[in-house]
Amino acid sequence: GTKWTYAGPEGQDHWDENYPYCGGAFQSPININSELMRFDPTLRPINVRNYNLSPNEQLTFGNNGHSVQLSLPSKMYISGLPHYYSAAQLHFHWGSSSKPMGSEHLVNNKQYAAEMHIVHYNSDKYPNISMAVDKSDGLAVLGVLIEVGEFNPAFEQFLKFLNGIKYRDQKVQVPGFNIRSLLPTQLNEYYRYDGSLTTPPCYPSVLWTVFRNPVTLSHEQYMALATTLFSSHAQDSVSVMLNSNYRKPQPMDSRIVLVSFKE
Ligand SMILES: NS(=O)(=O)c1c(F)c(F)c(S(=O)(=O)CCO)c(N[C@H]2CCCc3ccccc32)c1F
Ligand SMILES: [Zn+2]
């Protein structure tokens, strides 16, 4: 499709000019506000399966100009949702070196430093993510809020490769590791709502699960993510930094947020 950015003339306020769904209903992210929460006792813990990848398995880690993404094998899946959902990729949203606030979802107006998304597609109904991406029951994304604090050895297993993918369309192979180690401890405490892709084409096809508990990155790890990458190609005459790649909170419309925990 045509190129889009997070700021400037092709920025998020203009996305709907080329991508009509971006101006539609049921958009993501949102500000997860206490007034709109409802405890739902039927919400089961998220079960992650085959997330413990062998180091013999190579994963493609790349800069796609909008984020850094780690491709994931479809044998990884989640259960405990209405369907089985197979993993496709994980990627991040972050702020900048001067503004360490770049999460997409807010909780009671609090924006976190960054956010990780693990994108899955409904493998009960669709053969791959391309067939699922624009279907209302097509995708399930796990959101993990990230704050600056303790050093995170799990994230280091791919952050150490960032210098190899500084520029758009650069890719490296990284050894598999336990993707479960990137998630918070409690997979039974989360926010749940119906929403969309947070990038164009903004299809309203995502069942969102945002875990209640954030994970941490050290200041150095956060700064590596926020200051290493470019959205421009290596050979481009003008270099454009890749940071603040988060969409602003979207209208709730008639939606409420279900929560799997009390208090
Ligand atoms: N926040 S978000 O909505 O989860 C989200 C992103 F923010 C994001 F940047 C990406 S992207 O990195 O692919 C760059 C722009 O599409 C995706 N890709 C998904 C949806 C698009 C098609 C596709 C195909 C294969 C694998 C993943 C995906 C995305 F889902
Ligand atoms: Zn995302």
Side-chain angles (χ1 to χ4, degrees):
T2 58
K3 59 187 182 1
W4 53 269
T5 61
Y6 282 94
E10 284 105 11
Q12 53 187 288
D13 299 337
H14 300 279
W15 288 354
D16 63 337
E17 294 160 21
N18 288 309
Y19 302 96
Y21 283 109
C22 297
F26 284 78
Q27 291 294 287
S28 295
I30 58 169
N31 173 31
I32 299 167
N33 197 306
S34 295
E35 282 115 52
L36 299 169
M37 289 181 196
R38 183 200 304 159
F39 170 63
D40 181 344
T42 70
L43 292 178
R44 315 283 1 112
I46 299 296
N47 299 305
V48 295
R49 304 285 187 229
N50 301 331
Y51 264 46
N52 191 357
L53 301 177
S54 153
N56 304 327
E57 215 159 340
Q58 297 287 307
L59 305 173
T60 302
F61 185 46
N63 175 340
N64 61 30
H66 307 295
S67 184
V68 285
Q69 68 174 55
L70 190 66
S71 299
L72 299 172
S74 56
K75 69 178 178 184
M76 286 175 54
Y77 67 96
I78 47 179
S79 63
L81 295 174
H83 295 282
Y84 283 119
Y85 289 84
S86 296
Q89 54 111 283
L90 65 82
H91 63 269
F92 298 87
H93 304 268
W94 58 88
S96 64
S97 53
S98 53
K99 186 188 170 216
M101 292 182 291
S103 70
E104 296 210 302
H105 289 94
L106 311 185
V107 181
N108 291 321
N109 298 297
K110 176 187 165 83
Q111 187 174 24
Y112 288 78
E115 188 169 337
M116 177 178 72
H117 291 152
I118 310 184
V119 183
H120 303 74
Y121 65 93
N122 181 338
S123 39
D124 282 346
K125 293 186 70 175
Y126 308 105
N128 55 53
I129 187 160
S130 301
M131 296 297 289
V133 71
D134 61 345
K135 309 298 189 296
S136 60
D137 59 356
L139 302 184
V141 181
L142 303 182
V144 178
L145 299 164
I146 299 171
E147 59 189 4
V148 176
E150 283 288 296
F151 175 79
N152 191 320
F155 278 73
E156 199 57 24
Q157 300 189 85
F158 55 86
L159 287 179
K160 65 191 178 190
F161 295 101
L162 279 180
N163 279 310
I165 56 167
K166 289 171 78 76
Y167 297 98
R168 183 182 192 129
D169 295 337
Q170 291 185 332
K171 297 180 167 74
V172 293
Q173 296 301 311
V174 308
F177 61 98
N178 189 359
I179 306 297
R180 169 74 182 82
S181 64
L182 303 175
L183 300 176
T185 315
Q186 291 173 288
L187 303 186
N188 61 320
E189 297 197 345
Y190 56 82
Y191 307 102
R192 164 68 47 74
Y193 77 98
D194 291 311
S196 73
L197 299 179
T198 69
T199 59
C202 305
Y203 296 130
S205 60
V206 181
L207 184 65
W208 278 97
T209 299
V210 179
F211 291 110
R212 179 191 195 182
N213 300 307
V215 300
T216 65
L217 288 183
S218 67
H219 178 72
E220 292 71 22
Q221 287 177 307
Y222 173 80
M223 292 301 279
L225 187 59
T227 64
T228 302
L229 301 161
F230 295 90
S231 60
S232 48
H233 291 101
Q235 68 274 16
D236 289 355
S237 48
V238 179
S239 289
V240 182
M241 296 291 299
L242 174 53
N243 56 44
S244 303
N245 58 340
Y246 60 91
R247 191 186 193 187
K248 293 192 287 265
Q250 302 298 305
M252 275 307 281
D253 302 314
S254 56
R255 293 177 288 180
I256 53 129
V257 176
L258 301 177
V259 297
S260 67
F261 56 92
K262 281 195 160 182
E263 178 278 305

